[in-house]
Amino acid sequence: MNRHSPVVAMLWENWRLTRVEAAQRLGLGIVGASAALVLSDNGAGIALWILLAVHWMFWLSISKLNGGRFLDGYKPGFPLYLLYTRPVPTATFVGVALAYDAISGAALYVVSALVVGAVFDQPLPLFSAALWIVASRLAYTCCQWSTQSRAVQWTTQAIIGLSLFLLLNGRMASPPLIEFSTIESVLMVLLGVVSVGLAIVGVARQRRGDGVATAPRAAGSTGYPDWLISLFRFPCPTSSATKAQVWFELKSSGLPVLTIGLAIAIVVFLLFAISIPIVPMRNAAVSGVMFFAPAMLLCLGGNAFGIRRRQGRTYASTFEATQPYGTAQLARLKVFVRSGCVLVALAMVGISVWASSSLLSAWGTWVVAEGKDTVPGLLRMRGRIGELFGGLTGQAFAAQISVALFAVAAMVASLATFAALRARYPRRVLVAAALLLLYGLVLVLLLSVGPNGITWLLLNAILWATPRIAVAALVTGTIYLTWRSFAERLLTLRAACGAILVSVACAAAAQMFRPTDAVGMLLPALLLFAISVLTPWSLGRIRHT
Amino acid sequence: MSQSVVDVHDLSRSFGDKTALDGVSFRATAGQVHGLVGSNGAGKTTLLKHLLGLLRATIGSVRVFGLDPVRDPVGVLGRVGYLSEERELPEWMRIDELMRYTQAFHPTWDASYARELLETFALDPSRKIKELSKGMRAQAGLIAAVAHRPELLILDEPSSGLDAVVRRDILDAIVRAVADDGRTVIFSSHLLDEVERMSDHVTLMHQGRVTLSGVLDDVRGAYRRSRVRFVEHFDRPPALDTALVMEGSGRTWSVVHNGSIERFRHSVLARGGEIVESRDATLEEIFLARAGRSRPQVEAA
């Protein structure tokens, strides 16, 4: 293999695409594991889980090879079909991608574990964990790449993923050790080898049959799968631009969000119902409820501006950007439509969870750990929530609804702003994220030293200065953005007054539940106002680059 | 002098260390069909994106209908029709939905004209954009761009993806109809024959600069291609007044030159040669001469 071999070129290509994500994961793993070791008594075990979680998942950024569409309703099967045109055997490009993905992930875990272990004098398992990561990543990729049947993809992945997780969980010992038997190790090696073979065979079949059919589309992804968007057919109103834009937002993302919310609500209820006769399903039902709502909030509330990704490039849609519609109005409309849909979706899930929890009494007993029945605890929690909502006056209930509405709108706006700024200023956002990670690392290291010496003084100084710097940055940033927005005609006096009124009203409504002093009320109001100014400004930055 | 529809003054734009536009000034008035010509990376699309407000003018100024397209997108884009080079349209939409959606933003939408164009292109309104070929996508985008009868039509590489018949018969007719109504068309193209056929004004861009701009006939009239024969044998192109590019070897050379033909003739006579043949230069020859390219590339000494 010389310098010009396709294998070296493809390895270089993979490294080029994933190096930023690799640095992020390395930083995140080390900071997270260090924080766990410093802050928790059972820190070593948590640190190990954090490192495994960070390095278990395949490289998301490798999807840039094909337009960055792993999670955007891509055609199932081998996602990197642009590689079909390369004059190399299927085994080469599949093998290189698989090997790079698995080995680099395991190598990063080993580096993180060595660093954390050396700094905190806490040895963490190396070989066994690396073997598990390699086997997991290979098996996952094989399930996704080797077939175009979604059912087969997700079924095999669920079975193999669950088996590997249970194996890991069962072999985890204290102090953090992972002890696989020889047979288990051999089985994992075999799983990896078989996965590579199956992936190559499956991709070769797709390359022979579907190379042309899966040619990349001309435009970037719109976010939700086409079939989901096509579920709803209603004509676009032509009487006004705003109505047409609302139709566009509802069709392209709003109604798919509602549909997903409804589907999750139904699944949650079914899981609780099935759990009455099938006891092992209860874990899935409860953990599903615990993780679905926050994950759904983040996923469905994201990318309200419809930022597109294509070949690693992120950009706003030229089609939308060239419609004669004001940037500030467009930003507001996008955020409001998406927030409304997310809120309704959340309400559907909430009602489903509430209705499902009434089935808990039919579960009888449910022993999770240490021989304790968990059902009475869950029923008590249900009762407390019922009392909390039942005891609310009409006024308090309305205040709660409005706070929830603005909280969701603020979250949707923040996520949209972040996506726009990341697309417009990728390096600056990367540097800011790296600085935050570094800040976390410094705090963790200072905490690890303990309450003595100059480091403790330094830690106190940082903790004293941080909120003050944050507030000062918020105030100056808001003033600057307000001035820029007025200068760029993104903000009018009327809109600014409206934003201030709404922010203050929302902060005042929040006071009903958690009364604080004037500063405690002013800060959320200021934050909401800052978001309301920053959001249209960020859309303006990406619409007019 | 007629009123400016587009007025670009001393516009510069860089992306990292790459200069895309370097002090570009450009003006278009009502009723003009303006062809932008240039090689890849010359800055044509960057200039058009500035006109639409997709890029903000950091150095220099851009005014469309006297307005800044970044500060007043509604005022500008409401009077502009645009067909992008990438033909980027929402893939989930059907053609009829695209028409209705675009109609909502433009009170001047001419539904019968849109229908007529749909029939001309034989596009099925119930088909989804994602099911369309590149050419059909261009046709749908073109209808959405022209059916509201914009005062300014901006077309970025409009021929890309269109077959020869559509290009020659329909695109030309649309552009001519827009100009005949006293409205303005600005289009970029690699196809110099198309620019010669469709436009009445031409602007030539090279490496981010405007190297030539004016009325097409004037531009063509100002440049000539002459074949000259010398008594003496030249290994390198001889220095001739007003010559831009010379091709050939030995005693016979082909020269693209501008300015006075008499001045050129005197220069040739002074080197002991004569003009064997002379004609107006084609736009392609002018383009290659101004872009500093020819086959083989030989700059006049």
Side-chain angles (χ1 to χ4, degrees), chain A residues 217 219 226 229-230 233 236-238 240-241 244-245 247-248 251-252 308 315 317-319 321-326 487-488 540-541 543-545, chain B residues 13 52-56 69-74 77-78 82 84 88-94 97-98 100-106 128 130 137:
Chain A
R217 293 179 295 180
D226 198 55
I229 294 172
S230 303
R233 286 253 167 90
C236 173
T238 55
S240 84
Q245 194 59 39
W247 172 86
F248 184 95
K251 277 278 284 183
S252 61
R308 286 148 180 257
Y315 58 101
S317 153
T318 311
F319 176 76
T322 50
Q323 298 303 330
Y325 203 70
E488 293 177 18
R541 289 285 126 179
R543 186 184 188 185
H544 316 287
T545 49
Chain B
R13 177 77 186 209
L52 293 155
L54 295 176
L55 295 173
R56 62 178 81 217
V70 173
R71 284 175 151 228
D72 194 353
V74 180
L77 295 172
Y82 172 58
S84 72
E88 194 202 301
L89 300 168
E91 302 220 333
W92 54 268
M93 269 193 198
R94 298 186 322 193
E97 289 176 329
L98 174 68
R100 288 178 67 87
Y101 177 73
T102 316
Q103 182 182 354
F105 289 87
H106 299 282
K128 278 192 178 174
K130 72 168 204 167
R137 200 183 281 254

Side-chain angles (χ1 to χ4, degrees), chain A residues 16-54:
Chain A
R16 185 76 181 71
L17 290 173
T18 56
R19 60 185 182 174
V20 173
E21 191 184 348
Q24 286 169 338
R25 287 201 196 190
L26 195 65
L28 200 65
I30 291 173
V31 172
S34 304
L37 281 166
V38 170
L39 300 172
S40 171
D41 293 338
N42 184 28
I46 298 171
L48 178 58
W49 276 112
I50 287 174
L51 286 179
L52 287 170
V54 166

Side-chain angles (χ1 to χ4, degrees), chain A residues 504-536:
Chain A
V504 171
C506 189
Q511 289 282 307
M512 291 183 71
F513 308 104
R514 200 174 168 196
T516 52
D517 56 6
V519 176
M521 184 185 154
L522 203 61
L523 267 180
L526 184 64
L527 193 64
L528 278 175
F529 179 69
I531 291 171
S532 68
V533 177
L534 180 61
T535 304

Side-chain angles (χ1 to χ4, degrees), chain A residues 136-151:
Chain A
S136 300
R137 287 179 95 144
L138 287 174
Y140 169 83
T141 330
C142 169
C143 294
Q144 289 292 316
W145 290 5
S146 58
T147 173
Q148 289 186 306
S149 160
R150 280 187 206 271

